[in-house]
């Protein structure tokens, strides 16, 4: 690791020109391309600095590029937070003046800063003032893809803004104290906020309502300037600052688990309140040779505290990777990781910045950004559509694209040489988002500017960083690397002095720290940062007009002479449409017509191969038609199948928008298609199935099933096929393996010759779901080697917990799979209420209700639905308590508690979790129900005492 503390990064007190007194820096954030960093300070200014002089000593000495790039002065109060948009297009800042300001690049705004001697090398203009807070704005955050911007403040409000139109969408005012931190779930499903009301609250982005409230680790948290929290890049955890243990005597950062929203993990060691947490943007693999799965994923998180120390943790280790003490003279205010995950920036209220640069060998297991993107798709969350007419992608002129090897967002076309037409009337979209469209009119013989249509933004490319050297510092700094193999976690002060490596940075000369490994290969790994090993200072050259050429801000045709600098090899293919199989073919509409002439022979063969007379004729192949299609999960892309009526070949086509992305020709007519977020599959009449990636590669060999498919279904990585002979197959496409041995559906159809299959589907965990014409829904359990009932109309006749009477037009996304199945059962069977009103035995309702809830528990477990499992469990516990069934209650308690002396990793006979939830946490809620009941109070209290003794290790 290399450490540097640039003395020239500072915010000045304007009242003391001669002494240049430092004032507090409250926030910092690195641009997505790594070329610059923004800071906000007590001087009410936002300052933008070049990162190359910070990381490269030769660049610092040469002054190329300039250290200070721009000073933004529109705020009238201290700037408490700065955050770049993920696109790199805009910068958001929040201040004591109650304003959130959105800044955009303006090439005409360069020059001397009004009222000072400073010069702006590049200009940034205030694009929009977001007015709505009634007190200081303490934190802001952009959602994934910049769809939304959230801001929080001392008015206890959370404001949600559209990331494109910048119009306010929602105001959340349920916090009872100052809100001082906000972060987004990388999946885009949730938003988390931290408040002085001693809670962290999780909000759903689908309806902006409260999902969960976490209070336990914050009951005794003291007041701090900020409560900056961070969400892990795999979406599994939130690390929240300003938490405590032992009634406030131990300062910790609390790690909150997704879905359960409980904090069972604490990062212990700081000697004062933790002020800020910041996750490294990359996921890390415990074993890089293994696939990207949840058990193989870990994260890196940095903490900054009021004890003036910075710690960096990797979640696979019980102790921190490093602890840096005495880095600052006052508390840490903000932390920011570079996009490549190898550089950490920290700022303090003492007015200084510290930078920690890591080797890839020190942060082992770092995964490319593409791995994170693929992993997050497994959550199955579909983001909301964009406002019509808006995009953060920049339309690119092909001629200009060929002349630029690193294209980044150009400045907004507000140059004086342009004449803008009249703005079109605003049209209001859903959610109150407004759209204004401006079309630029260009004068002849002027430099080409891009068309302005609403908000412009785009992805920024990587910067070129060469070497890393330290720069002078004002005082010695102690960097303590901590072994990850050590046993239990201990406070920082307990680290043996022999393991600490004091690094004294002299004040008169720079300490040269060489780069142990050039990161030249990292750009090919998709880390988002292209790094060179050369020391050429000309990478950042300055034109005669003083313009800084930093890669992230190079605009189209900037000098107009077409000259190339050394190292800038132009790829002539950039900007042209990528060549794909069939991508140049015009897409034609095909009418849907049945094809009876081509289906006779194969159908005759499949009927001869049918599995016995019991299934004869009940499982038929779908009607052969000229055109089929399947929509890809979570997108508008389409997977099409086209069967020719003559001798022409049959083909499958993958279409995005209206453009063909790829095609393939098949030897047999297509009878069924399915498409998920990870693969596409086509079933053919000859009994074979082809599986493709979204780029058209065959992910598996052609699967030959012997008979035609009756049904084909997909979900996430799972593919299900049911043949006309009654054989059921389920494959995990990512692992390229079957979930279980192919099994027959004959056992569930044997009850009656009139039974037929109505629907066939597969869950993301590989569980098949088949509903029959009698309303009963089944799944196959490979561990039991048997079909199991998920739900049936029988329960509707007497169970008080039957929810299937709700209509299917309620929001399916908000309902679990068991509830959806029960709704489908009610829809299909049209439950007869008169039967439910018949005279029944005395224990009828109690027996059916308990039986129904026990079936729901097994169904929720089979379908991997933790929320429904928990809901059914608590209803079950309440019904047991109401009836006073003590034996059932004791058996349930013992099942959830497990062995009294059970210890992790020593006894595998009992699992402490079910569906990712702690059984003993579930037991706590069950015991609370028993304690409040009239008949099981004593039982609940006795087991609560046992739980406390178990937790205390007695």
């Amino acid at each position: 690791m290399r450490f540097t503390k640039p003395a020239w990064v500072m915010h000045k007190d304007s009242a003391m020109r001669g002494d240049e007194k430092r004032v507090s820096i409250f926030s910092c954030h690195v641009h997505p391309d790594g070329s610059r960093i923004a800071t906000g300070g007590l001087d009410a200014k936002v300052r933008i600095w070049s990162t190359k002089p910070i990381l490269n000593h030769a660049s610092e000495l040469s002054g190329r590029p300039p250290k200070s790039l721009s000073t933004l002065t529109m705020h009238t109060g201290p700037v408490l937070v700065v955050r770049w948009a993920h696109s790199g297009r805009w910068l958001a800042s929040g201040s004591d003046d109650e304003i959130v300001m959105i800044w955009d690049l303006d090439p005409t705004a360069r020059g001397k800063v009004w009222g000072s001697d400073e010069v702006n090398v590049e200009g940034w203009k205030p694009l929009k003032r977001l007015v709505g807070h009634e007190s200081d704005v303490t934190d802001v955050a952009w959602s994934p893809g910049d769809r939304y911007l959230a801001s929080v403040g001392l008015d206890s409000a959370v404001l949600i803004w559209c990331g494109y139109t910048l119009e306010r969408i929602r105001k959340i005012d349920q916090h009872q104290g100052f809100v001082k931190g906000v972060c987004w779930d990388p999946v885009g499903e949730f938003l988390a906020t931290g408040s002085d009301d001693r809670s962290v609250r999780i909000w759903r982005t689908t309806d902006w309502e409260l999902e969960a409230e976490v209070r336990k680790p914050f009951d005794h948290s003291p007041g701090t300037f900020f409560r900056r929290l961070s969400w892990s890049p795999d979406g599994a955890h939130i690390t929240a600052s300003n938490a405590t243990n032992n009634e406030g005597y131990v300062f910790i950062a609390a790690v909150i688990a997704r879905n359960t929203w409980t904090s069972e993990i604490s990062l212990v060691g700081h000697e004062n309140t933790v002020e800020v947490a910041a996750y490294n943007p990359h996921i890390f693999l415990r074993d890089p040779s293994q696939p990207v799965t949840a058990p193989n994923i870990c994260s890196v998180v940095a903490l900054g505290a009021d004890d003036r120390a910075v710690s960096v943790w990797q979640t696979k280790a019980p102790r921190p990777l490093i602890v840096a003490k005495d880095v600052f003279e006052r508390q840490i205010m903000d932390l920011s990781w570079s996009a490549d995950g190898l550089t950490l920036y920290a700022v303090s209220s003492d007015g200084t910045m510290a930078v920690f640069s890591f080797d890839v060998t020190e942060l082992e297991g770092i995964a490319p950004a593409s791995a994170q993107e693929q992993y997050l798709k497994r959550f199955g969350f579909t983001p909301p559509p964009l406002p019509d007419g808006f995009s953060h992608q920049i339309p690119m002129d092909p001629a200009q694209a060929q002349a630029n090897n690193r294209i980044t967002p150009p400045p907004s076309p507000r140059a004086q040489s342009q004449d803008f037409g009249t703005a079109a009337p605003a049209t209001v979209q859903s959610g109150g988002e407004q759209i204004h469209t401006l079309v630029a009119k260009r004068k002849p013989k002027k430099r080409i500017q891009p068309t302005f249509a609403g908000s412009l933004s785009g992805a920024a490319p990587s910067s070129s960083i060469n070497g890393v050297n330290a720069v002078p510092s004002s005082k010695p700094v102690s960097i303590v690397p901590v072994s990850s193999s050590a046993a239990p976690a201990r406070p920082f002060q307990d680290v043996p002095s022999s393991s600490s490596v004091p690094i004294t940075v002299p004040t008169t000369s720079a300490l040269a720290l060489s780069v142990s490994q050039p990161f030249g290969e990292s750009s090919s790994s998709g880390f988002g940062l292209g790094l060179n090993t050369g020391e050429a200072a000309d990478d950042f050259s300055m034109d005669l007009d003083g313009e800084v050429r930093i890669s992230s801000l190079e605009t189209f045709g900037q000098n107009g002479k077409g000259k190339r600098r050394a190292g800038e090899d132009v790829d002539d293919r950039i900007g042209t449409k990528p060549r794909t199989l069939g991508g140049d073919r015009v897409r034609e509409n095909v009418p849907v017509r049945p094809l009876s002439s081509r289906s006779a022979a194969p159908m005759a063969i499949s009927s001869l191969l049918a599995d016995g007379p019991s299934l004869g004729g009940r499982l038929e192949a779908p009607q052969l038609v000229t055109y089929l299609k399947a929509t890809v999960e979570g997108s508008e892309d389409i997977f099409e199948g086209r069967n020719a009526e003559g001798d022409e070949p049959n083909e499958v086509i993958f279409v995005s928008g209206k453009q063909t992305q790829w095609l393939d020709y098949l030897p047999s007519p297509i009878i069924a298609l399915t498409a998920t977020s990870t693969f596409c599959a086509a079933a053919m009449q000859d009994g074979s199935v082809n599986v493709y990636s979204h780029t058209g590669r065959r992910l598996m060999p052609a699967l030959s099933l012997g008979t035609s498919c009756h049904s084909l279904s997909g979900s996430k990585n799972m593919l299900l096929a049911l043949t006309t002979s009654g054989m059921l197959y389920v494959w995990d496409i990512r692992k390229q393996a079957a979930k279980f041995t192919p099994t027959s559906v004959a056992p569930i159809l044997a009850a009656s010759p009139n039974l037929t299959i109505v629907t066939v589907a597969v869950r993301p965990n590989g569980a098949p779901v088949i509903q029959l014409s009698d309303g009963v829904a089944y799944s196959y359990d490979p561990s039991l080697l048997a079909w199991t009932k998920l739900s049936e109309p029988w329960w509707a006749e007497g169970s008080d917990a039957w929810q299937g009477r709700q209509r299917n037009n309620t929001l399916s996304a908000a309902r679990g799979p068991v509830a959806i199945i029960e709704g489908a059962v009610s829809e299909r069977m049209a439950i007869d209420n008169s039967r439910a009103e018949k005279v029944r035995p005395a224990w009828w309702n109690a027996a059916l209700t308990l039986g129904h809830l026990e079936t729901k528990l097994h169904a929720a477990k089979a379908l991997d639905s933790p929320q429904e499992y928990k809901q059914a469990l608590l209803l079950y516990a309440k019904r047991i308590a109401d009836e006073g069934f003590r034996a059932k209650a004791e058996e349930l308690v013992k099942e959830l508690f497990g062995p009294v002396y059970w210890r992790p990793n020593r006894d595998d006979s009992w699992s402490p979790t079910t569906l990712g939830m702690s059984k003993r946490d579930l037991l706590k809620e069950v015991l609370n129900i028993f304690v409040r009941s009239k008949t099981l109070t004593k039982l609940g209290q006795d087991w609560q005492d046992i739980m406390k003794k178990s937790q205390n290790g007695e």
Side-chain angles (χ1 to χ4, degrees):
M1 189 199 74
R2 296 162 298 284
F3 171 83
T4 183
K5 198 170 182 185
W8 43 268
V9 174
M10 63 184 298
H11 285 247
K12 308 171 188 176
D13 187 346
S14 57
M16 303 182 66
R17 290 176 178 262
D19 296 340
E20 290 193 345
K21 179 185 176 183
R22 290 180 183 272
V23 297
S24 297
I25 301 177
F26 294 119
S27 183
C28 68
H29 199 232
V30 191
H31 191 277
D33 73 355
S35 64
R36 76 258 345 275
I37 183 170
T39 57
L42 186 64
D43 58 354
K45 296 176 181 177
V46 177
R47 296 179 183 268
I48 300 176
W49 315 86
S50 174
T51 56
K52 188 171 184 182
I54 297 175
L55 303 174
N56 188 322
H57 190 51
S59 175
E60 180 191 21
L61 296 178
S62 67
R64 300 171 67 182
K67 301 179 180 70
S68 176
L69 298 179
S70 190
T71 301
L72 317 181
T73 59
M74 290 295 290
H75 281 294
T76 58
V79 179
L80 303 182
V81 59
V82 289
R83 294 290 183 263
W84 294 100
H86 297 288
S87 65
R89 186 57 172 132
W90 291 338
L91 172 66
S93 60
S95 166
D96 269 13
D97 60 10
E98 306 175 6
I99 298 297
V100 176
M101 194 81 74
I102 306 298
W103 306 87
D104 190 19
L105 184 67
D106 183 4
T108 67
R110 295 178 300 176
K112 192 172 181 180
V113 179
W114 185 84
S116 73
D117 297 330
E118 300 176 22
V119 175
N120 281 346
V121 176
E122 63 188 32
W124 291 80
K125 66 175 182 291
L127 182 68
K128 190 166 185 179
R129 298 169 75 251
L130 306 185
V131 180
H133 282 285
E134 299 174 2
S135 189
D136 306 6
V137 179
T138 53
D139 205 4
V140 301
W142 296 90
S143 71
D146 299 332
R147 182 63 183 85
Y148 301 111
L149 172 69
S151 61
V152 299
L154 301 189
D155 56 358
S156 304
V158 182
L159 299 186
I160 310 298
W161 313 83
C162 176
Y164 289 79
T165 65
L166 300 179
E167 299 294 332
R168 193 172 86 182
I169 296 175
R170 188 68 174 252
K171 180 178 181 179
I172 303 172
D173 53 5
Q174 297 181 32
H175 274 294
Q176 306 302 314
F178 301 152
V179 188
K180 296 181 176 178
V182 61
C183 68
W184 291 89
D185 165 22
V187 180
E189 188 175 3
F190 299 111
L191 171 73
T193 54
S195 168
D196 276 356
D197 62 9
R198 294 178 174 173
S199 73
V200 167
R201 302 194 186 196
I202 318 298
W203 313 91
R204 295 187 295 271
T205 60
T206 51
D207 56 6
W208 305 112
E209 295 298 329
L210 183 66
E211 170 76 9
E213 180 179 3
V214 185
R215 285 190 172 273
K216 180 182 175 182
F218 311 103
D219 288 340
H220 300 88
S221 63
T224 52
F225 210 92
F226 296 113
R227 289 176 179 261
R228 303 200 198 273
L229 63 170
S230 183
W231 211 306
S232 64
D234 62 350
H237 300 95
I238 305 169
T239 294
S241 58
N242 201 352
T244 58
N245 278 346
N246 295 348
E247 298 185 350
Y249 291 102
V250 178
F251 301 102
I252 66 167
V255 181
I256 302 169
R258 188 190 188 95
N259 293 331
T260 62
W261 309 119
T262 56
S263 176
E264 303 296 334
I265 303 173
S266 302
L267 304 182
V268 185
H270 280 285
E271 299 171 6
N272 207 332
T273 315
V274 178
E275 192 96 20
V276 54
Y279 270 98
N280 189 300
H282 286 267
I283 60 175
F284 290 76
L285 302 181
R286 299 171 187 267
D287 184 354
S289 64
Q290 297 299 315
V292 183
T293 58
N296 194 34
I297 287 178
C298 59
S299 305
V300 171
V301 63
L303 304 179
D306 288 354
D307 61 359
R308 302 174 296 160
V310 175
S311 61
V312 179
W313 304 70
Q314 195 160 21
T315 53
K316 68 179 181 181
R319 304 183 66 194
L321 291 172
I322 67 145
V323 178
K325 296 185 176 181
D326 300 324
V327 175
F328 298 105
E329 296 178 0
R330 295 175 66 183
Q331 71 263 41
I332 286 92
M333 289 280 130
D334 205 2
L335 298 169
S336 179
W337 287 92
S338 60
D340 67 343
L342 297 176
T343 307
L344 174 66
Y345 296 81
V347 293
S348 165
S349 59
D350 67 6
T352 61
M353 172 188 287
V355 185
F356 306 88
S357 300
F358 297 88
D359 267 341
V360 287
T361 55
E362 294 171 314
L363 296 180
E364 59 182 357
I366 190 168
S370 57
Q372 180 198 12
E373 294 171 3
Q374 287 296 323
Y375 180 78
L376 294 181
K377 289 180 180 178
R378 303 179 186 182
F379 287 85
F381 179 75
T382 303
L386 303 184
D388 291 340
F390 281 82
S391 172
H392 281 309
Q393 302 299 321
I394 300 300
M396 190 182 301
D397 187 308
Q400 293 172 344
Q402 291 178 3
N404 291 271
N405 69 321
R406 292 178 294 181
I407 300 300
T408 56
S412 294
R414 288 294 183 91
Q416 296 177 357
S417 62
Q418 289 182 337
D419 176 24
F420 280 87
T422 306
T427 56
V428 180
Q429 303 294 320
S430 60
E433 302 179 12
Q434 295 184 352
I435 299 174
H436 298 271
T437 304
L438 293 175
V439 180
K441 297 179 181 178
R442 300 187 180 88
K443 294 183 179 180
K445 299 183 180 179
K446 294 291 184 180
R447 187 177 63 180
I448 295 176
Q449 293 280 359
T451 301
F452 176 63
S455 315
L456 292 182
S457 187
S462 308
S463 63
S464 298
I465 301 175
N466 306 117
V468 180
N469 290 294
V471 298
S473 175
S474 58
K475 62 177 292 182
V477 177
S478 174
I479 308 293
V480 184
V482 184
S483 171
S484 61
S485 61
R490 293 180 295 172
F492 299 159
Q493 59 266 28
D494 294 340
V495 178
S497 58
S498 60
S499 66
S500 63
V501 182
I503 301 178
T504 303
V505 184
T507 57
T508 56
S509 61
L511 175 66
L513 297 173
S514 61
V515 180
S516 60
Q517 176 182 343
F519 309 107
E521 63 272 23
S522 65
S523 60
S524 63
S525 303
F527 292 170
L529 204 65
L531 304 176
N532 294 327
T533 56
E535 285 292 330
D538 287 338
D539 283 353
F540 294 88
S541 64
M542 181 179 288
D543 291 341
L544 295 178
D545 60 358
E547 182 174 357
V548 178
R549 286 186 169 274
I550 295 182
S551 63
S552 66
L553 288 181
E554 288 186 3
T555 56
F556 301 137
Q558 230 167 359
N559 54 17
K561 297 180 181 179
K563 290 187 177 180
R564 302 181 191 175
R565 293 192 304 277
E568 289 192 282
D569 298 326
V570 176
D571 187 347
D572 293 334
R573 294 171 296 177
I574 292 180
T576 61
K577 188 170 72 68
R579 179 175 170 81
T580 60
L581 186 62
D584 57 347
R585 196 178 73 171
V586 178
R587 184 169 173 243
E588 300 174 351
N589 292 327
V590 177
V592 181
R593 288 193 297 270
L595 291 174
S596 57
S597 59
R598 297 182 61 178
S599 60
M603 289 300 293
I605 294 174
S606 64
S607 63
L608 290 174
L609 296 176
D611 186 13
S614 62
L615 298 182
R618 282 196 275 176
L619 295 179
E620 297 182 352
Q623 170 69 50
L624 189 62
V625 293
T626 56
Y627 177 81
L628 307 87
K629 75 171 183 178
T631 303
V632 177
E633 284 179 337
S635 75
E636 296 180 358
D637 296 344
I638 296 174
F639 185 48
E640 296 180 345
R642 301 186 179 189
N643 293 317
E645 297 184 69
D647 295 331
E648 293 82 7
N650 312 292
E651 59 187 27
V652 287
I653 305 171
F654 190 86
V655 179
S656 181
K658 295 184 178 179
Q659 181 65 44
T660 299
Q661 299 299 315
W662 55 267
L663 58 79
D664 191 22
Y665 297 105
L666 302 180
S668 179
I670 305 149
I671 58 174
L673 298 173
T674 188
T676 74
S677 57
T678 55
F679 70 88
C680 307
M684 288 170 278
Q685 198 177 49
D686 63 359
S688 58
V689 176
N690 281 8
V691 183
Y692 302 92
S693 71
H694 285 186
T695 62
R697 292 178 56 248
R698 280 177 169 79
L699 294 176
M700 298 171 66
L703 305 170
S704 183
L705 309 183
T707 55
S708 300
C709 269
H710 168 271
S711 302
L712 192 69
S713 177
S715 180
K716 299 293 179 60
N717 295 310
M718 299 298 163
L719 173 63
L720 175 149
L722 175 62
T723 68
T724 54
S725 62
M727 296 302 294
L728 179 76
Y729 302 79
V730 176
W731 300 278
D732 186 329
I733 300 303
R734 184 179 57 80
K735 294 181 179 179
Q736 299 195 12
K739 291 293 290 184
F740 49 80
T741 303
T743 186
S744 174
V745 296
I748 62 177
L749 291 173
S752 169
N754 298 321
L755 275 180
T756 58
I757 290 178
V758 178
T759 59
V760 179
V762 64
R763 291 281 296 158
N765 66 337
V769 179
I770 296 180
Q771 186 180 9
L772 302 186
S773 55
D774 62 355
V776 183
Y778 294 90
S779 183
Y780 184 76
D781 190 332
S783 62
L784 301 175
L785 296 177
W787 288 93
T788 60
K789 287 185 178 182
L790 299 174
S791 188
E792 56 185 320
W794 167 253
W795 302 122
E797 297 192 17
S799 172
D800 296 334
W802 180 260
Q803 302 294 325
R805 303 180 196 279
Q806 299 174 0
R807 304 292 291 179
N808 273 346
N809 54 12
T810 57
L811 277 177
S812 296
R815 301 165 61 200
V818 179
I820 293 173
I821 289 173
E822 288 191 354
V825 171
S826 293
E827 285 284 317
R828 177 143 195 94
M829 301 310 296
I831 302 299
D832 186 357
N833 291 327
S834 63
R835 293 181 62 189
E837 294 171 1
K838 288 182 179 180
V839 177
R840 300 293 189 181
W843 291 100
W844 176 263
N845 285 91
L848 261 68
T849 300
L850 291 177
H852 175 220
L853 288 173
E854 288 163 356
T855 301
K856 284 188 74 171
L857 287 172
H858 293 301
K861 188 178 291 188
L863 302 182
D864 194 19
S865 180
Q867 294 302 320
E868 287 185 303
Y869 182 88
K870 181 177 179 180
Q871 180 186 20
L873 176 66
L874 298 182
L875 286 174
Y876 183 64
K878 188 175 187 308
R879 189 58 185 246
I880 289 176
D882 291 343
E883 299 289 349
F885 296 151
R886 184 181 180 88
K888 285 180 180 287
E890 282 187 312
E891 190 174 70
L892 176 64
V893 169
K894 291 177 181 179
E895 178 185 322
L896 293 175
F897 185 80
V900 176
Y901 299 105
W902 182 85
R903 292 292 182 269
N905 303 323
R906 296 183 185 178
D907 185 1
D908 296 333
S909 62
W910 179 75
S911 172
T913 62
T914 181
L915 297 179
M917 298 180 291
S918 168
K919 288 183 179 178
R920 292 188 176 180
D921 285 346
L922 293 173
L923 178 58
K924 291 178 185 177
E925 299 191 42
V926 170
L927 293 178
N928 288 336
I929 293 174
F930 289 169
V931 168
R932 292 195 297 268
S933 70
K934 296 179 181 179
T935 56
L936 301 179
T937 304
K938 183 66 167 59
L939 174 70
Q941 291 174 342
D942 291 345
W943 276 98
Q944 283 183 336
D945 292 339
I946 295 174
M947 289 278 290
K948 290 179 181 177
K949 291 180 181 179
S950 173
Q951 290 176 342
N952 296 331
E954 298 180 13

